[in-house]
Amino acid sequence: RTEVGRLVVGSPRDKFSANAIFRTGPFTFSAMATRYGEFTVRGATTALDQTFSAKWLGDLSAGYKFGAFDFTVGADNVFDTYPDEVILANSTGGQLPYSGSSPFGFNGAFYWAKLGYSWK
């Protein structure tokens, strides 16, 4: 029952994303919005089944190119969106408050920086 549920309803039926990139001179700005549809995790019995609601996530980045160097900073999931919390019976005694089946993870916002160099 649980394994069949992973195949049948364990992934969102829909995913929508929109991305915009703006470049001006040495600067590059990027914004992306992604919506993951609802998904269901089936337990050993129907009482343990749980449907998780759809969520929107936003990603932003800004870059600067100087000669052969390219420096970019960004944030994934900038609004710090988390999946719905699992019901207590599925949370391993409260130790795992979020489902590991979430299509966008359960770690919240992530900030990063990247330095690149290209030679020709």
Side-chain angles (χ1 to χ4, degrees), residues 57-61 73-82 104 106-114:
L57 279 71
D59 303 334
L60 297 172
S61 69
V73 294
D76 296 341
N77 192 0
V78 294
F79 303 115
D80 204 24
T81 302
Y82 287 84
F104 58 89
F106 51 83
N107 293 319
F110 177 77
Y111 306 96
W112 52 270
K114 176 178 76 169

Side-chain angles (χ1 to χ4, degrees), residues 81-95:
T81 302
Y82 287 84
D84 300 337
E85 290 193 17
V86 298
I87 57 178
L88 185 60
N90 291 336
S91 69
T92 315
Q95 296 298 312

Side-chain angles (χ1 to χ4, degrees), residues 2-11 13 40 42:
T2 303
E3 296 304 319
V4 171
R6 285 184 194 173
L7 295 172
V8 178
V9 292
S11 296
R13 285 195 171 271
T40 301
R42 287 189 182 166

Side-chain angles (χ1 to χ4, degrees), residues 26-27 63-72 114-119:
F27 296 99
Y64 180 76
K65 186 161 182 65
F66 181 74
F69 290 95
D70 187 10
F71 180 70
T72 308
K114 176 178 76 169
L115 177 63
Y117 178 81
S118 62
W119 56 91

Side-chain angles (χ1 to χ4, degrees), residues 22-39:
F22 176 72
R23 290 187 179 99
T24 180
F27 296 99
T28 301
F29 302 95
S30 175
M32 185 159 88
T34 306
R35 179 193 180 273
Y36 293 93
E38 70 176 30
F39 67 99

Side-chain angles (χ1 to χ4, degrees), residues 1-2 40-50 87 89-90:
R1 172 176 160 64
T2 303
T40 301
V41 174
R42 287 189 182 166
T45 66
T46 56
L48 297 177
D49 290 356
Q50 184 174 1
I87 57 178
N90 291 336

